[in-house]
Amino acid sequence: MSPKTFVLLMYATEGDWDNADEATKAEYYRQHGDYDDRAADFGVTFLASEALQSVTTAVTLRRTGDDAEITEGPFAETVEQLGGFYLVTAPDREAVLKHAMLLPEYTIEVREIAQM
């Protein structure tokens, strides 16, 4: 069976990182390191991962036919904002979810990539 591709979207409250003390930041880095180091234990392979700039840098483009509306800011006003992502391959969703338990306490949306 071929591995499937998933994206893990990590959401957190904007500003939590800026207000975190050094010990909290070090623990988050440690947990991301464990997540990275133990990927093979779960059959996970990383394709890409990035942390995102603050939501204050977001620009939203809404297209309607040939027209576009460009708005400064994120698509939705919410308490939690998208802060980063991992793009991975794995045998199945269960492996991705078990592996994601190594990440810090984010809200993590896991979605399989559509085969087009």
Side-chain angles (χ1 to χ4, degrees), residues 69-112:
E69 176 186 343
I70 298 174
T71 306
E72 296 292 325
F75 172 71
E77 295 293 328
T78 62
V79 173
E80 293 183 320
Q81 299 294 333
L82 180 62
F85 71 91
Y86 283 97
L87 184 65
V88 303
T89 61
D92 53 41
R93 186 177 70 167
E94 289 69 32
V96 173
L97 293 172
K98 287 178 184 174
H99 186 223
M101 291 295 293
L102 298 172
L103 288 167
E105 293 181 4
Y106 301 119
T107 298
I108 302 170
E109 181 180 352
V110 176
R111 297 185 61 183
E112 187 173 350

Side-chain angles (χ1 to χ4, degrees), residues 4-23:
K4 298 177 180 185
T5 305
F6 297 87
V7 65
L8 289 80
L9 304 172
M10 297 176 292
Y11 294 88
T13 302
E14 185 82 359
D16 280 358
W17 183 255
D18 294 333
N19 297 324
D21 60 28
E22 291 307 311

Side-chain angles (χ1 to χ4, degrees), residues 17-63:
W17 183 255
D18 294 333
N19 297 324
D21 60 28
E22 291 307 311
T24 300
K25 289 179 179 182
E27 177 59 17
Y28 269 54
Y29 286 132
R30 186 197 64 74
Q31 289 175 323
H32 277 281
D34 286 350
Y35 177 79
D36 295 351
D37 293 344
R38 295 197 49 212
D41 296 347
F42 296 86
V44 171
T45 301
F46 295 109
L47 301 177
S49 66
E50 293 294 341
L52 302 177
Q53 292 289 330
S54 168
V55 70
T56 61
T57 66
V59 177
T60 301
L61 175 92
R62 289 183 180 87
R63 286 204 50 226

